[in-house]
Amino acid sequence: DVVHGDEIGFSNDLDNESTMMFITLAKGVPMIMSEITTAFKRHQLTVIRAQVEPLVDDGEKHTYLLSSIKTGTKLSDMERSRLREDIDAIIKDERNG
Protein backbone atom coordinates (compact mmCIF):
# COMPACT_ATOMS: atom_id res chain seq x y z
CA ASP A 1 0.00 0.00 0.00
CA VAL A 2 1.15 3.51 -0.80
CA VAL A 3 0.69 5.93 2.09
CA HIS A 4 0.27 9.55 1.08
CA GLY A 5 1.18 12.36 3.45
CA ASP A 6 0.08 15.95 3.65
CA GLU A 7 1.37 18.13 0.80
CA ILE A 8 1.33 21.82 -0.08
CA GLY A 9 2.06 23.03 -3.61
CA PHE A 10 1.80 26.14 -5.74
CA SER A 11 1.60 26.97 -9.43
CA ASN A 12 1.88 30.38 -11.06
CA ASP A 13 1.44 28.85 -14.53
CA LEU A 14 -2.27 27.98 -14.53
CA ASP A 15 -3.69 31.50 -14.53
CA ASN A 16 -2.31 34.82 -15.81
CA GLU A 17 -3.14 36.89 -12.74
CA SER A 18 -3.35 34.50 -9.82
CA THR A 19 -1.60 31.66 -8.01
CA MET A 20 -3.06 28.18 -7.61
CA MET A 21 -2.42 26.60 -4.21
CA PHE A 22 -2.92 22.87 -3.66
CA ILE A 23 -3.21 21.26 -0.24
CA THR A 24 -3.54 17.49 -0.01
CA LEU A 25 -4.43 16.10 3.39
CA ALA A 26 -3.91 12.38 4.01
CA LYS A 27 -6.78 12.55 6.50
CA GLY A 28 -9.36 15.31 6.55
CA VAL A 29 -9.21 17.75 9.45
CA PRO A 30 -12.54 19.15 10.74
CA MET A 31 -12.82 22.95 10.33
CA ILE A 32 -9.35 23.31 8.74
CA MET A 33 -10.77 25.39 5.87
CA SER A 34 -11.62 28.09 8.41
CA GLU A 35 -8.01 28.09 9.66
CA ILE A 36 -6.70 28.22 6.09
CA THR A 37 -8.91 31.16 5.09
CA THR A 38 -7.84 32.99 8.27
CA ALA A 39 -4.22 32.50 7.13
CA PHE A 40 -5.11 33.94 3.71
CA LYS A 41 -6.51 37.06 5.41
CA ARG A 42 -3.43 37.34 7.59
CA HIS A 43 -1.25 37.25 4.45
CA GLN A 44 -3.49 39.80 2.66
CA LEU A 45 -4.66 37.42 -0.04
CA THR A 46 -7.92 37.31 -1.96
CA VAL A 47 -9.52 33.93 -2.61
CA ILE A 48 -10.84 33.92 -6.17
CA ARG A 49 -11.95 30.30 -6.11
CA ALA A 50 -11.89 27.48 -3.56
CA GLN A 51 -12.62 23.79 -4.03
CA VAL A 52 -12.40 20.83 -1.66
CA GLU A 53 -12.56 17.30 -3.03
CA PRO A 54 -12.76 14.10 -0.98
CA LEU A 55 -10.01 11.53 -1.53
CA VAL A 56 -9.87 7.85 -0.63
CA ASP A 57 -9.33 6.92 3.01
CA ASP A 58 -10.85 10.18 4.35
CA GLY A 59 -8.28 12.41 2.65
CA GLU A 60 -9.02 15.81 1.10
CA LYS A 61 -7.62 17.87 -1.74
CA HIS A 62 -8.01 21.62 -1.34
CA THR A 63 -7.45 23.89 -4.34
CA TYR A 64 -7.38 27.67 -3.95
CA LEU A 65 -6.95 30.34 -6.62
CA LEU A 66 -5.33 33.30 -4.87
CA SER A 67 -4.12 36.80 -5.60
CA SER A 68 -2.22 39.31 -3.51
CA ILE A 69 -4.31 42.22 -2.23
CA LYS A 70 -1.15 44.38 -2.32
CA THR A 71 -0.37 43.82 -6.00
CA GLY A 72 -3.67 42.47 -7.36
CA THR A 73 -1.77 39.68 -9.07
CA LYS A 74 0.15 36.43 -8.49
CA LEU A 75 1.94 35.72 -5.23
CA SER A 76 5.66 36.47 -5.14
CA ASP A 77 8.22 33.83 -4.13
CA MET A 78 8.37 35.39 -0.65
CA GLU A 79 4.57 35.44 -0.28
CA ARG A 80 4.36 31.77 -1.32
CA SER A 81 7.17 30.79 1.06
CA ARG A 82 5.59 32.57 4.05
CA LEU A 83 2.15 31.17 3.26
CA ARG A 84 3.55 27.62 2.93
CA GLU A 85 5.19 27.93 6.38
CA ASP A 86 1.95 29.23 7.91
CA ILE A 87 -0.28 26.55 6.36
CA ASP A 88 2.24 23.83 7.27
CA ALA A 89 2.14 25.02 10.90
CA ILE A 90 -1.68 25.03 10.87
CA ILE A 91 -1.79 21.44 9.60
CA LYS A 92 0.77 20.30 12.19
CA ASP A 93 -1.11 22.07 15.01
CA GLU A 94 -4.41 20.50 13.93
CA ARG A 95 -2.82 17.04 13.69
CA ASN A 96 -1.28 17.34 17.14
CA GLY A 97 -4.51 18.59 18.69
Coordinates of all heavy atoms in Angstrom, one line a residue:
D1 N 0.8 -1.2 0.0 CA 0.0 0.0 0.0 C 0.9 1.3 0.0 O 1.9 1.3 0.7 CB -0.9 0.0 1.2 CG -2.0 -1.0 1.2 OD1 -2.2 -1.5 0.1 OD2 -2.7 -1.2 2.2
V2 N 0.5 2.2 -0.8 CA 1.1 3.5 -0.8 C 0.5 4.4 0.2 O -0.8 4.6 0.2 CB 1.1 4.1 -2.2 CG1 1.7 5.5 -2.2 CG2 1.8 3.2 -3.2
V3 N 1.2 5.0 1.1 CA 0.7 5.9 2.1 C 1.1 7.3 1.7 O 2.2 7.7 1.5 CB 1.3 5.6 3.5 CG1 0.7 6.7 4.5 CG2 0.9 4.2 3.9
H4 N 0.0 8.2 1.5 CA 0.3 9.6 1.1 C 0.3 10.4 2.3 O -0.6 10.3 3.2 CB -0.8 10.0 0.1 CG -0.8 9.2 -1.2 ND1 0.2 9.4 -2.2 CD2 -1.6 8.2 -1.6 CE1 0.0 8.6 -3.2 NE2 -1.1 7.8 -2.9
G5 N 1.1 11.4 2.3 CA 1.2 12.4 3.5 C 0.5 13.7 3.1 O 0.0 13.8 2.0
D6 N 0.6 14.6 3.9 CA 0.1 16.0 3.7 C 1.1 16.7 2.7 O 2.3 16.5 2.9 CB -0.1 16.7 5.0 CG -1.0 16.1 5.9 OD1 -2.0 15.5 5.5 OD2 -0.8 16.2 7.1
E7 N 0.5 17.4 1.7 CA 1.4 18.1 0.8 C 0.8 19.5 0.5 O -0.4 19.7 0.6 CB 1.4 17.4 -0.5 CG 2.2 16.1 -0.6 CD 2.3 15.5 -2.0 OE1 2.8 16.2 -2.9 OE2 1.8 14.4 -2.1
I8 N 1.7 20.5 0.3 CA 1.3 21.8 -0.1 C 2.1 22.2 -1.3 O 3.3 22.0 -1.4 CB 1.7 22.8 1.0 CG1 1.0 22.5 2.3 CG2 1.4 24.3 0.6 CD1 1.5 23.3 3.5
G9 N 1.4 22.7 -2.4 CA 2.1 23.0 -3.6 C 1.5 24.3 -4.2 O 0.3 24.7 -3.9
F10 N 2.2 24.9 -5.1 CA 1.8 26.1 -5.7 C 2.1 26.1 -7.2 O 3.0 25.4 -7.6 CB 2.6 27.4 -5.2 CG 2.3 27.7 -3.8 CD1 3.1 27.2 -2.8 CD2 1.3 28.6 -3.4 CE1 2.9 27.5 -1.4 CE2 1.1 28.9 -2.1 CZ 1.9 28.3 -1.1
S11 N 1.3 26.8 -8.0 CA 1.6 27.0 -9.4 C 1.2 28.4 -9.8 O 0.1 28.9 -9.5 CB 0.8 26.0 -10.3 OG 1.1 26.3 -11.7
N12 N 2.2 29.1 -10.5 CA 1.9 30.4 -11.1 C 1.6 30.3 -12.6 O 1.5 31.3 -13.2 CB 3.0 31.3 -10.8 CG 2.9 32.1 -9.5 OD1 1.8 32.2 -8.9 ND2 3.9 32.7 -9.0
D13 N 1.5 29.1 -13.1 CA 1.4 28.8 -14.5 C 0.0 28.6 -15.0 O -0.2 28.5 -16.2 CB 2.3 27.7 -14.9 CG 3.8 27.9 -14.6 OD1 4.2 29.1 -14.6 OD2 4.5 27.0 -14.3
L14 N -0.9 28.4 -14.1 CA -2.3 28.0 -14.5 C -3.2 29.1 -14.8 O -4.3 29.0 -15.4 CB -2.9 27.1 -13.5 CG -2.1 25.7 -13.2 CD1 -2.7 25.0 -12.1 CD2 -2.1 24.9 -14.5
D15 N -2.8 30.3 -14.4 CA -3.7 31.5 -14.5 C -2.8 32.7 -14.7 O -1.7 32.8 -14.0 CB -4.6 31.7 -13.3 CG -5.7 32.7 -13.5 OD1 -6.7 32.4 -14.0 OD2 -5.4 33.9 -13.2
N16 N -3.2 33.7 -15.5 CA -2.3 34.8 -15.8 C -2.1 35.8 -14.6 O -1.1 36.4 -14.5 CB -2.9 35.6 -17.0 CG -2.7 34.9 -18.3 OD1 -1.8 34.0 -18.4 ND2 -3.5 35.2 -19.3
E17 N -3.2 35.9 -13.8 CA -3.1 36.9 -12.7 C -3.3 36.4 -11.3 O -3.4 37.1 -10.4 CB -4.3 37.9 -13.0 CG -4.1 38.6 -14.4 CD -4.9 39.8 -14.5 OE1 -5.6 40.2 -13.6 OE2 -4.9 40.3 -15.7
S18 N -3.2 35.0 -11.2 CA -3.4 34.5 -9.8 C -2.5 33.2 -9.6 O -2.0 32.7 -10.6 CB -4.8 34.2 -9.5 OG -5.4 33.4 -10.5
T19 N -2.4 32.8 -8.4 CA -1.6 31.7 -8.0 C -2.5 30.5 -7.6 O -3.5 30.8 -6.8 CB -0.7 32.0 -6.8 OG1 0.3 33.0 -7.3 CG2 0.1 30.8 -6.3
M20 N -2.3 29.3 -8.0 CA -3.1 28.2 -7.6 C -2.3 27.5 -6.5 O -1.1 27.3 -6.6 CB -3.2 27.2 -8.8 CG -4.2 26.1 -8.5 SD -5.9 26.5 -8.5 CE -6.1 26.7 -10.3
M21 N -3.0 27.3 -5.4 CA -2.4 26.6 -4.2 C -3.2 25.3 -4.0 O -4.4 25.2 -4.0 CB -2.6 27.4 -2.9 CG -2.0 26.8 -1.7 SD -2.2 27.8 -0.2 CE -1.0 26.9 0.8
F22 N -2.4 24.2 -3.9 CA -2.9 22.9 -3.7 C -2.5 22.4 -2.3 O -1.4 22.5 -1.9 CB -2.3 21.9 -4.7 CG -2.5 22.3 -6.1 CD1 -1.4 23.0 -6.7 CD2 -3.6 22.1 -6.8 CE1 -1.5 23.4 -8.0 CE2 -3.7 22.5 -8.1 CZ -2.7 23.2 -8.7
I23 N -3.5 21.9 -1.5 CA -3.2 21.3 -0.2 C -3.8 19.9 -0.3 O -5.1 19.8 -0.4 CB -3.8 22.1 0.9 CG1 -3.3 23.5 0.9 CG2 -3.5 21.4 2.3 CD1 -4.0 24.5 1.9
T24 N -3.0 18.9 -0.1 CA -3.5 17.5 0.0 C -3.4 17.0 1.4 O -2.2 17.1 2.0 CB -2.8 16.6 -1.0 OG1 -2.9 17.1 -2.3 CG2 -3.4 15.2 -0.9
L25 N -4.4 16.6 2.0 CA -4.4 16.1 3.4 C -4.7 14.6 3.4 O -5.7 14.1 2.8 CB -5.5 16.8 4.2 CG -5.4 18.3 4.3 CD1 -6.6 18.9 5.0 CD2 -4.1 18.7 5.0
A26 N -3.8 13.8 4.0 CA -3.9 12.4 4.0 C -5.2 12.0 4.7 O -5.9 11.1 4.3 CB -2.7 11.8 4.7
K27 N -5.5 12.7 5.8 CA -6.8 12.6 6.5 C -7.4 13.9 6.7 O -6.7 14.9 7.0 CB -6.5 12.0 7.9 CG -6.1 10.5 7.9 CD -7.2 9.6 7.8 CE -6.7 8.1 7.9 NZ -7.6 7.2 7.2
G28 N -8.7 14.0 6.4 CA -9.4 15.3 6.5 C -9.3 15.8 8.0 O -9.2 15.0 8.9
V29 N -9.3 17.1 8.1 CA -9.2 17.7 9.4 C -10.5 18.6 9.6 O -10.6 19.6 8.8 CB -7.9 18.6 9.6 CG1 -7.9 19.3 11.0 CG2 -6.7 17.8 9.4
P30 N -11.3 18.3 10.6 CA -12.5 19.2 10.7 C -12.2 20.6 10.9 O -11.3 21.0 11.6 CB -13.2 18.6 12.0 CG -12.6 17.2 12.2 CD -11.2 17.3 11.6
M31 N -12.9 21.5 10.2 CA -12.8 22.9 10.3 C -11.5 23.5 9.9 O -11.2 24.7 10.1 CB -13.1 23.4 11.8 CG -14.5 23.0 12.3 SD -15.8 23.5 11.3 CE -15.7 25.3 11.5
I32 N -10.7 22.8 9.2 CA -9.4 23.3 8.7 C -9.5 24.4 7.7 O -8.7 25.3 7.6 CB -8.4 22.2 8.3 CG1 -7.0 22.8 8.3 CG2 -8.8 21.7 6.9 CD1 -5.9 21.8 8.3
M33 N -10.6 24.4 6.9 CA -10.8 25.4 5.9 C -10.9 26.8 6.5 O -10.4 27.8 6.0 CB -12.0 25.1 5.0 CG -12.1 25.9 3.7 SD -13.3 25.3 2.7 CE -13.1 26.3 1.2
S34 N -11.5 26.8 7.7 CA -11.6 28.1 8.4 C -10.2 28.6 8.8 O -9.9 29.8 8.7 CB -12.5 27.9 9.6 OG -12.5 29.0 10.5
E35 N -9.4 27.7 9.3 CA -8.0 28.1 9.7 C -7.2 28.6 8.4 O -6.4 29.5 8.5 CB -7.3 26.9 10.3 CG -7.9 26.4 11.6 CD -7.6 27.4 12.8 OE1 -6.6 28.1 12.7 OE2 -8.4 27.4 13.7
I36 N -7.4 27.9 7.3 CA -6.7 28.2 6.1 C -7.1 29.6 5.6 O -6.3 30.4 5.2 CB -6.9 27.1 5.0 CG1 -6.2 25.8 5.4 CG2 -6.4 27.6 3.7 CD1 -6.6 24.6 4.6
T37 N -8.4 29.9 5.6 CA -8.9 31.2 5.1 C -8.5 32.3 6.0 O -8.2 33.4 5.6 CB -10.4 31.2 4.9 OG1 -11.1 30.8 6.1 CG2 -10.8 30.3 3.7
T38 N -8.4 32.0 7.3 CA -7.8 33.0 8.3 C -6.4 33.3 7.9 O -6.0 34.5 8.0 CB -8.0 32.5 9.7 OG1 -9.3 32.3 10.0 CG2 -7.4 33.4 10.7
A39 N -5.6 32.3 7.5 CA -4.2 32.5 7.1 C -4.2 33.4 5.9 O -3.3 34.3 5.8 CB -3.5 31.2 6.9
F40 N -5.1 33.1 4.9 CA -5.1 33.9 3.7 C -5.3 35.4 4.1 O -4.7 36.3 3.5 CB -6.2 33.5 2.7 CG -6.0 32.1 2.2 CD1 -7.0 31.4 1.7 CD2 -4.7 31.5 2.1 CE1 -6.8 30.1 1.1 CE2 -4.5 30.3 1.5 CZ -5.6 29.6 1.0
K41 N -6.3 35.7 5.0 CA -6.5 37.1 5.4 C -5.3 37.7 6.1 O -4.9 38.8 5.8 CB -7.7 37.1 6.4 CG -9.0 36.8 5.7 CD -10.1 36.8 6.8 CE -11.4 36.3 6.2 NZ -12.4 36.1 7.2
R42 N -4.6 36.9 6.9 CA -3.4 37.3 7.6 C -2.3 37.7 6.6 O -1.6 38.6 6.8 CB -3.0 36.2 8.5 CG -2.0 36.6 9.6 CD -1.8 35.6 10.7 NE -1.7 34.2 10.3 CZ -2.6 33.3 10.6 NH1 -3.7 33.6 11.4 NH2 -2.5 32.0 10.2
H43 N -2.3 37.0 5.5 CA -1.3 37.3 4.5 C -1.7 38.2 3.4 O -1.1 38.4 2.4 CB -0.8 35.9 3.8 CG 0.0 35.1 4.7 ND1 1.4 35.1 4.8 CD2 -0.4 34.2 5.7 CE1 1.8 34.3 5.7 NE2 0.8 33.7 6.2
Q44 N -2.9 38.8 3.6 CA -3.5 39.8 2.7 C -3.7 39.2 1.3 O -3.2 39.8 0.3 CB -2.7 41.1 2.6 CG -2.6 41.8 4.0 CD -1.9 43.1 3.9 OE1 -0.9 43.3 3.1 NE2 -2.3 44.0 4.7
L45 N -4.4 38.1 1.2 CA -4.7 37.4 0.0 C -6.2 37.4 -0.3 O -6.9 37.2 0.6 CB -4.1 36.0 0.0 CG -2.6 35.8 0.3 CD1 -2.3 34.4 0.4 CD2 -1.8 36.5 -0.7
T46 N -6.5 37.5 -1.5 CA -7.9 37.3 -2.0 C -8.1 35.9 -2.5 O -7.3 35.4 -3.3 CB -8.3 38.3 -3.1 OG1 -8.1 39.6 -2.5 CG2 -9.7 38.2 -3.5
V47 N -9.2 35.2 -2.1 CA -9.5 33.9 -2.6 C -10.5 34.1 -3.8 O -11.6 34.6 -3.6 CB -10.2 33.0 -1.6 CG1 -10.6 31.7 -2.2 CG2 -9.3 32.8 -0.4
I48 N -10.0 33.8 -5.0 CA -10.8 33.9 -6.2 C -11.7 32.7 -6.3 O -12.9 32.8 -6.7 CB -9.9 34.1 -7.4 CG1 -9.1 35.4 -7.2 CG2 -10.7 34.1 -8.7 CD1 -7.9 35.5 -8.1
R49 N -11.2 31.5 -6.0 CA -11.9 30.3 -6.1 C -11.4 29.3 -5.1 O -10.2 29.3 -4.9 CB -11.8 29.7 -7.5 CG -12.8 28.6 -7.8 CD -12.8 28.1 -9.2 NE -11.5 27.6 -9.7 CZ -10.9 27.9 -10.8 NH1 -11.4 28.8 -11.6 NH2 -9.7 27.3 -11.1
A50 N -12.3 28.5 -4.5 CA -11.9 27.5 -3.6 C -12.7 26.2 -3.9 O -13.8 26.3 -4.2 CB -12.2 27.9 -2.1
Q51 N -12.0 25.1 -3.8 CA -12.6 23.8 -4.0 C -12.0 22.8 -3.1 O -10.8 22.7 -2.9 CB -12.4 23.4 -5.5 CG -13.1 22.1 -5.9 CD -12.9 21.8 -7.4 OE1 -12.4 22.6 -8.1 NE2 -13.3 20.6 -7.8
V52 N -12.9 21.9 -2.5 CA -12.4 20.8 -1.7 C -13.0 19.5 -2.2 O -14.2 19.4 -2.4 CB -12.8 21.0 -0.2 CG1 -12.3 19.9 0.7 CG2 -12.3 22.3 0.4
E53 N -12.1 18.6 -2.5 CA -12.6 17.3 -3.0 C -12.2 16.2 -2.1 O -11.1 16.2 -1.5 CB -11.9 17.0 -4.4 CG -12.1 18.0 -5.4 CD -11.2 17.7 -6.6 OE1 -11.3 16.7 -7.2 OE2 -10.3 18.6 -6.9
P54 N -13.1 15.2 -1.8 CA -12.8 14.1 -1.0 C -11.8 13.2 -1.7 O -11.9 13.0 -2.9 CB -14.1 13.4 -0.7 CG -15.0 13.9 -1.8 CD -14.5 15.2 -2.3
L55 N -10.9 12.5 -1.0 CA -10.0 11.5 -1.5 C -10.3 10.2 -0.8 O -10.9 10.2 0.2 CB -8.5 12.0 -1.3 CG -8.1 13.3 -2.0 CD1 -6.7 13.6 -1.6 CD2 -8.2 13.1 -3.5
V56 N -9.7 9.1 -1.3 CA -9.9 7.9 -0.6 C -9.3 7.9 0.8 O -8.4 8.7 1.1 CB -9.2 6.7 -1.4 CG1 -9.9 6.5 -2.8 CG2 -7.7 7.0 -1.6
D57 N -9.8 7.0 1.6 CA -9.3 6.9 3.0 C -9.4 8.2 3.8 O -8.6 8.6 4.6 CB -7.9 6.4 3.1 CG -7.7 5.0 2.5 OD1 -8.7 4.2 2.7 OD2 -6.7 4.7 1.9
D58 N -10.5 9.0 3.6 CA -10.8 10.2 4.3 C -9.9 11.3 4.1 O -9.9 12.3 4.8 CB -10.9 9.9 5.9 CG -12.0 8.9 6.2 OD1 -13.0 8.9 5.6 OD2 -11.7 8.1 7.2
G59 N -9.1 11.3 3.0 CA -8.3 12.4 2.6 C -9.1 13.5 2.0 O -10.2 13.4 1.6
E60 N -8.4 14.6 1.8 CA -9.0 15.8 1.1 C -8.0 16.5 0.2 O -6.8 16.6 0.6 CB -9.5 16.8 2.1 CG -10.6 16.4 3.0 CD -11.0 17.5 4.0 OE1 -10.3 18.5 4.2 OE2 -12.1 17.2 4.7
K61 N -8.5 17.0 -0.9 CA -7.6 17.9 -1.7 C -8.3 19.2 -1.8 O -9.4 19.4 -2.3 CB -7.5 17.3 -3.1 CG -6.6 18.2 -4.0 CD -6.4 17.6 -5.4 CE -5.5 18.5 -6.2 NZ -5.4 18.1 -7.6
H62 N -7.5 20.2 -1.3 CA -8.0 21.6 -1.3 C -7.3 22.3 -2.5 O -6.1 22.2 -2.6 CB -7.6 22.3 0.0 CG -8.4 21.8 1.2 ND1 -9.1 22.6 2.0 CD2 -8.4 20.6 1.7 CE1 -9.6 21.9 3.0 NE2 -9.2 20.7 2.8
T63 N -8.0 23.1 -3.3 CA -7.5 23.9 -4.3 C -8.0 25.3 -4.2 O -9.2 25.5 -4.1 CB -7.9 23.3 -5.7 OG1 -7.6 21.9 -5.8 CG2 -7.1 24.1 -6.8
Y64 N -7.0 26.3 -4.1 CA -7.4 27.7 -4.0 C -6.7 28.5 -5.1 O -5.5 28.3 -5.3 CB -6.9 28.2 -2.6 CG -7.5 27.5 -1.4 CD1 -6.8 26.4 -0.8 CD2 -8.7 27.8 -0.9 CE1 -7.3 25.7 0.3 CE2 -9.3 27.1 0.2 CZ -8.6 26.1 0.8 OH -9.1 25.4 1.8
L65 N -7.5 29.4 -5.7 CA -7.0 30.3 -6.6 C -6.8 31.7 -5.9 O -7.9 32.2 -5.4 CB -7.9 30.5 -7.8 CG -7.3 31.2 -9.1 CD1 -6.1 30.5 -9.6 CD2 -8.4 31.3 -10.1
L66 N -5.6 32.2 -5.7 CA -5.3 33.3 -4.9 C -4.7 34.4 -5.6 O -4.0 34.2 -6.6 CB -4.3 32.9 -3.8 CG -4.7 31.7 -2.9 CD1 -3.5 31.2 -2.1 CD2 -5.9 32.0 -2.0
S67 N -4.9 35.7 -5.1 CA -4.1 36.8 -5.6 C -3.8 37.7 -4.4 O -4.4 37.6 -3.4 CB -4.9 37.6 -6.7 OG -6.0 38.3 -6.1
S68 N -2.7 38.4 -4.6 CA -2.2 39.3 -3.5 C -3.1 40.6 -3.5 O -3.3 41.2 -4.6 CB -0.7 39.7 -3.8 OG -0.3 40.7 -2.9
I69 N -3.6 41.0 -2.3 CA -4.3 42.2 -2.2 C -3.4 43.4 -2.5 O -3.8 44.4 -3.2 CB -5.0 42.4 -0.8 CG1 -6.1 41.3 -0.7 CG2 -5.5 43.8 -0.6 CD1 -6.7 41.2 0.7
K70 N -2.1 43.3 -2.1 CA -1.1 44.4 -2.3 C -0.9 44.7 -3.8 O -0.8 45.8 -4.2 CB 0.2 44.1 -1.6 CG 0.1 44.1 -0.1 CD 1.5 43.8 0.5 CE 1.5 42.4 1.0 NZ 2.7 42.0 1.7
T71 N -0.7 43.6 -4.6 CA -0.4 43.8 -6.0 C -1.5 43.5 -7.0 O -1.4 43.9 -8.1 CB 0.8 42.9 -6.4 OG1 0.4 41.5 -6.3 CG2 2.0 43.2 -5.5
G72 N -2.6 42.8 -6.5 CA -3.7 42.5 -7.4 C -3.3 41.4 -8.3 O -4.0 41.2 -9.3
T73 N -2.2 40.7 -8.1 CA -1.8 39.7 -9.1 C -1.2 38.5 -8.3 O -1.5 38.3 -7.1 CB -0.8 40.3 -10.1 OG1 -0.5 39.3 -11.1 CG2 0.5 40.7 -9.4
K74 N -0.4 37.7 -9.0 CA 0.1 36.4 -8.5 C 1.0 36.7 -7.2 O 1.5 37.8 -7.0 CB 1.1 35.8 -9.5 CG 0.4 35.4 -10.8 CD 1.4 34.8 -11.8 CE 0.6 34.5 -13.1 NZ 1.4 33.6 -14.0
L75 N 1.1 35.6 -6.4 CA 1.9 35.7 -5.2 C 3.4 35.7 -5.6 O 3.8 34.9 -6.5 CB 1.6 34.6 -4.3 CG 0.4 34.7 -3.4 CD1 -0.9 34.8 -4.2 CD2 0.3 33.5 -2.4
S76 N 4.2 36.5 -4.9 CA 5.7 36.5 -5.1 C 6.3 35.2 -4.5 O 5.6 34.5 -3.7 CB 6.3 37.7 -4.5 OG 6.2 37.7 -3.1
D77 N 7.5 35.0 -4.8 CA 8.2 33.8 -4.1 C 8.2 34.0 -2.6 O 7.9 33.0 -1.9 CB 9.7 33.8 -4.6 CG 9.8 33.3 -6.0 OD1 8.9 32.8 -6.6 OD2 10.9 33.5 -6.6
M78 N 8.4 35.2 -2.1 CA 8.4 35.4 -0.7 C 7.0 35.2 -0.1 O 6.8 34.5 1.0 CB 8.9 36.8 -0.3 CG 8.9 37.1 1.2 SD 10.1 36.1 2.1 CE 11.6 36.8 1.6
E79 N 5.9 35.7 -0.8 CA 4.6 35.4 -0.3 C 4.2 34.0 -0.2 O 3.6 33.5 0.7 CB 3.6 36.2 -1.2 CG 3.6 37.7 -1.0 CD 2.7 38.4 -2.0 OE1 2.8 38.1 -3.2 OE2 1.9 39.3 -1.6
R80 N 4.6 33.2 -1.3 CA 4.4 31.8 -1.3 C 5.1 31.1 -0.2 O 4.6 30.2 0.5 CB 4.7 31.2 -2.7 CG 3.8 31.6 -3.8 CD 4.0 30.8 -5.1 NE 5.3 30.6 -5.5 CZ 6.0 31.4 -6.3 NH1 5.4 32.5 -6.8 NH2 7.2 31.2 -6.7
S81 N 6.4 31.4 0.0 CA 7.2 30.8 1.1 C 6.6 31.0 2.4 O 6.4 30.1 3.2 CB 8.6 31.3 1.0 OG 9.4 30.8 2.0
R82 N 6.2 32.3 2.7 CA 5.6 32.6 4.0 C 4.3 31.9 4.2 O 4.0 31.4 5.3 CB 5.4 34.1 4.2 CG 6.7 34.8 4.4 CD 6.6 36.3 4.5 NE 7.8 36.9 4.8 CZ 8.1 38.2 4.6 NH1 7.1 39.0 4.1 NH2 9.2 38.7 4.9
L83 N 3.4 31.8 3.2 CA 2.1 31.2 3.3 C 2.3 29.7 3.5 O 1.6 29.1 4.3 CB 1.3 31.4 2.0 CG -0.1 30.8 2.0 CD1 -0.9 31.3 3.1 CD2 -0.7 31.1 0.6
R84 N 3.3 29.1 2.8 CA 3.5 27.6 2.9 C 3.9 27.3 4.4 O 3.4 26.4 5.0 CB 4.7 27.2 2.0 CG 5.0 25.7 2.2 CD 6.3 25.3 1.5 NE 6.2 25.5 0.0 CZ 5.7 24.6 -0.8 NH1 5.3 23.5 -0.4 NH2 5.7 24.9 -2.1
E85 N 4.8 28.1 5.0 CA 5.2 27.9 6.4 C 4.0 28.0 7.3 O 3.8 27.2 8.2 CB 6.2 29.0 6.8 CG 7.6 28.8 6.2 CD 8.6 29.9 6.4 OE1 8.3 30.8 7.3 OE2 9.6 29.9 5.8
D86 N 3.1 29.0 7.1 CA 2.0 29.2 7.9 C 1.0 28.1 7.8 O 0.5 27.5 8.8 CB 1.3 30.5 7.5 CG 0.4 31.1 8.6 OD1 0.3 30.5 9.7 OD2 -0.2 32.2 8.4
I87 N 0.7 27.6 6.6 CA -0.3 26.5 6.4 C 0.3 25.2 6.9 O -0.4 24.4 7.5 CB -0.6 26.4 4.9 CG1 -1.3 27.7 4.3 CG2 -1.5 25.2 4.6 CD1 -2.7 28.0 4.9
D88 N 1.6 25.0 6.7 CA 2.2 23.8 7.3 C 2.1 23.8 8.8 O 1.8 22.8 9.4 CB 3.7 23.8 6.9 CG 4.3 22.5 7.1 OD1 3.7 21.4 6.8 OD2 5.5 22.4 7.6
A89 N 2.3 24.9 9.4 CA 2.1 25.0 10.9 C 0.7 24.8 11.3 O 0.4 24.1 12.3 CB 2.6 26.4 11.4
I90 N -0.3 25.3 10.6 CA -1.7 25.0 10.9 C -2.0 23.5 10.8 O -2.6 23.0 11.7 CB -2.6 25.8 9.9 CG1 -2.5 27.3 10.2 CG2 -4.0 25.3 10.0 CD1 -3.2 28.2 9.1
I91 N -1.5 22.9 9.7 CA -1.8 21.4 9.6 C -1.2 20.7 10.8 O -1.8 19.8 11.4 CB -1.3 20.9 8.2 CG1 -2.1 21.5 7.1 CG2 -1.3 19.4 8.2 CD1 -1.5 21.3 5.7
K92 N 0.1 21.0 11.1 CA 0.8 20.3 12.2 C 0.0 20.5 13.5 O -0.1 19.6 14.3 CB 2.2 20.8 12.3 CG 3.1 20.2 11.2 CD 4.6 20.5 11.5 CE 5.4 19.7 10.5 NZ 5.8 20.4 9.3
D93 N -0.4 21.8 13.8 CA -1.1 22.1 15.0 C -2.4 21.3 15.1 O -2.8 20.8 16.1 CB -1.4 23.6 15.1 CG -0.2 24.4 15.4 OD1 0.8 23.8 15.8 OD2 -0.3 25.7 15.3
E94 N -3.1 21.2 14.0 CA -4.4 20.5 13.9 C -4.2 19.0 14.1 O -5.0 18.3 14.8 CB -5.2 20.8 12.6 CG -5.7 22.2 12.5 CD -6.7 22.6 13.5 OE1 -7.6 21.7 13.8 OE2 -6.7 23.7 14.0
R95 N -3.1 18.5 13.6 CA -2.8 17.0 13.7 C -2.4 16.7 15.1 O -2.8 15.6 15.6 CB -1.6 16.7 12.8 CG -2.0 16.7 11.3 CD -2.4 15.4 10.8 NE -2.7 15.4 9.4 CZ -3.9 15.4 8.9 NH1 -5.0 15.3 9.6 NH2 -4.1 15.5 7.6
N96 N -1.7 17.6 15.8 CA -1.3 17.3 17.1 C -2.3 17.7 18.2 O -2.0 17.5 19.4 CB 0.0 18.1 17.4 CG 1.1 17.6 16.5 OD1 1.1 16.4 16.1 ND2 2.1 18.4 16.1
G97 N -3.4 18.3 17.8 CA -4.5 18.6 18.7 C -4.1 19.8 19.6 O -4.6 20.0 20.6

